[in-house]
Amino acid sequence: MDTDTTEAARHFAAKLRFETDPSDVKAAMDAAERFVLVDTRGEAAWRQGRVEGAIHLPTADIERRAAELIPAGMPVVVYCWGPGCNGSTRAALAFSLLGYEVREMIGGYEYWAREGLPVVDDDGSGTRAADPLTAPIGSIVCDC
């Protein structure tokens, strides 16, 4: 197998520049880093459960409403359902076309919740037990 290591390095560096994951987002929130976390799913999904601290802006509304909700120059992290959904990719594209610095939270809401991170729904907030297939028990850091 022939691999162009320079091209591979560019690919993976770009991927890390434009993607993040639930544990890194949680660490950035805890460190009070400057960004807005955006749940890009529809109303029913939002009511069912969301990342605590996220704002709700469905992908279909980004072009029309982003400027009223998120100041220009504010970095944005978007998420949708999970790895089987490309809604957050569409949302990231919409934000980038509007000039926002944007990253996509891979794993989406599914992996946020499965890692035992704080969620909220219309009945209140809480956490789920971490799924040992997605996160080390008792830690949000996988040391990878």
Side-chain angles (χ1 to χ4, degrees):
M1 176 161 88
D2 244 357
T3 303
D4 178 342
T5 59
T6 302
E7 184 65 21
R10 276 196 294 268
H11 168 78
F12 292 114
K15 195 171 173 161
L16 290 170
R17 184 172 167 212
F18 298 114
E19 294 179 354
T20 187
D21 62 42
S23 64
D24 286 344
V25 171
K26 177 66 166 98
M29 292 168 91
D30 290 348
E33 290 183 22
R34 182 179 171 268
F35 71 98
V36 173
L37 182 60
V38 179
D39 185 317
T40 66
R41 301 171 302 152
E43 186 65 32
W46 171 260
R47 285 193 317 269
Q48 183 175 319
R50 56 205 170 262
V51 173
E52 193 169 42
I55 69 164
H56 187 219
L57 183 56
T59 301
D61 297 336
I62 291 171
E63 185 176 0
R64 182 175 51 82
R65 296 190 56 222
E68 76 185 53
L69 297 173
I70 304 167
M74 177 64 74
V76 173
V77 173
V78 295
Y79 72 88
C80 199
W81 271 110
C85 174
N86 66 4
S88 60
T89 304
R90 286 191 299 275
L93 175 60
F95 273 109
S96 65
L97 290 171
L98 293 173
Y100 286 90
E101 175 187 331
V102 62
R103 294 177 80 186
E104 180 179 19
M105 186 175 82
I106 60 173
Y109 178 73
E110 176 188 352
Y111 275 73
W112 180 277
R114 290 179 74 186
E115 289 182 20
L117 300 171
V119 297
V120 64
D121 61 25
D122 284 354
D123 296 322
S125 62
T127 58
R128 300 169 34 124
D131 179 339
L133 295 176
T134 65
I137 303 303
S139 172
I140 65 165
V141 179
C142 65
D143 292 328
C144 58

